[in-house]
Amino acid sequence: EKLPPMDDMEKTRSLRPELAGKKIFIIRHAQGEHNVSSTFEYDPALTKSGLRQVRNQLPLAQSLDVDLVLVSPMRRTLQTATGLFPQHANMVAYEPLREGVSESCNIRLPAENLEKMFPEVNFGQIERGPDKHLRRFIKAGDIPDLQTLTTSDCWDEETEEEMTIRAEEVIRYVAGREERSIALVSHAMFLHSLIFALRNGAQNDSTCLYADYLDNCEIRFVDHISV
């Protein structure tokens, strides 16, 4: 089957046989407030430049004709997904796509709030109430003041091993979905872990580690390699 025009799109190889026959696109959120600020705001939104990046990528995203959009339940990814795929009939918030938890900008609003902000997204799989990962910022006592959390307040950062486990969970979930063409809207660090998992941990001489970090609002095609 011929793919849509993707001349400007980089490709990420996949060695995972369970994903053969699927068209998968990985997308990093557009520029968020935390990307240009010296502080780590709680669940930050996109900047004006980020919103412009989404508008610029809209024609490419629309050409992909995806059947399913899976999106991290953070404001910046939700804004990116709903901007790139407006009024998509099958857009699902999926917790395992969230960013690694080490900073307050990676703690999300409650699902009840997000549902009101993004009514076109299905939040059925997202746990209600405060973000469960707030526990990583407190050792005892009450929930901290979300507006004053800093990176140093996180005493239990999510490890690379934990993100690798989530990446494997995402691969199993995508492989089990009936949809054939799927977009995953996520974050730089987690997508790095996912790319590593797609390769079964393999690297090659032409692959620089830092090249595996997507730019803001970058869209990549996951190219399955039969071995």
Side-chain angles (χ1 to χ4, degrees):
E1 181 181 352
K2 187 177 181 181
L3 290 168
M6 296 183 292
D7 293 342
D8 297 327
M9 187 185 305
E10 287 199 39
K11 295 176 177 60
T12 287
R13 67 176 183 148
S14 167
L15 302 176
R16 303 300 291 258
E18 62 266 53
L19 297 178
K22 289 185 180 290
K23 290 191 297 184
I24 300 170
F25 303 92
I26 57 175
I27 305 170
R28 183 188 174 193
H29 65 80
Q31 185 188 79
E33 293 169 351
H34 66 302
N35 293 137
V36 296
S37 172
S38 59
T39 59
F40 294 90
E41 298 89 348
Y42 169 55
D43 200 1
L46 297 183
T47 63
K48 291 182 179 179
S49 293
L51 293 171
R52 186 162 54 249
Q53 289 171 342
V54 172
R55 291 193 297 271
N56 290 341
Q57 286 284 63
L58 179 60
L60 175 58
Q62 292 294 286
S63 75
L64 305 180
D65 193 26
V66 298
D67 307 316
L68 169 68
V69 180
L70 294 175
V71 54
S72 161
M74 309 291 293
R75 266 203 299 178
R76 57 193 183 272
T77 40
L78 290 162
Q79 283 182 289
T80 301
T82 55
L84 292 177
F85 305 99
Q87 303 304 317
H88 196 284
N90 194 15
M91 188 177 297
V92 178
Y94 184 52
E95 194 87 66
L97 284 174
R98 66 184 294 157
E99 183 61 296
V101 181
S102 61
E103 300 157 346
S104 57
C105 56
N106 298 328
I107 296 296
R108 62 167 173 78
L109 291 165
E112 299 90 323
N113 298 52
L114 294 169
E115 277 183 322
K116 295 176 182 178
M117 298 167 66
F118 304 96
E120 62 269 63
V121 180
N122 181 346
F123 286 90
Q125 298 186 44
I126 306 302
E127 183 178 334
R128 294 318 192 243
D131 190 332
K132 66 180 181 180
H133 290 291
L134 276 170
R135 64 176 173 76
R136 293 179 181 267
F137 287 80
I138 53 175
K139 293 184 178 180
D142 297 330
I143 297 294
D145 181 353
L146 298 175
Q147 302 303 326
T148 61
L149 287 179
T150 68
T151 225
S152 60
D153 293 321
C154 186
W155 65 276
D156 181 25
E157 293 188 13
E158 188 173 17
T159 65
E160 290 184 11
E161 289 76 15
E162 287 177 298
M163 285 206 288
T164 298
I165 290 171
R166 279 204 286 127
E168 291 293 337
E169 181 180 352
V170 169
I171 290 171
R172 288 193 301 272
Y173 183 73
V174 169
R177 294 286 307 205
E178 63 180 6
E179 295 89 356
R180 188 171 177 276
S181 181
I182 301 173
L184 308 177
V185 186
S186 186
H187 309 260
M189 291 298 295
F190 180 72
L191 287 174
H192 181 268
S193 295
L194 181 62
I195 289 170
F196 194 71
L198 287 169
R199 295 174 178 157
N200 285 324
Q203 296 280 358
N204 60 41
D205 293 339
S206 64
T207 301
C208 172
L209 181 65
Y210 294 104
D212 291 342
Y213 289 95
L214 278 69
D215 293 330
N216 285 125
C217 213
E218 181 180 348
I219 303 174
R220 287 192 192 179
F221 172 60
V222 176
D223 190 14
H224 179 71
I225 307 296
S226 298
V227 294

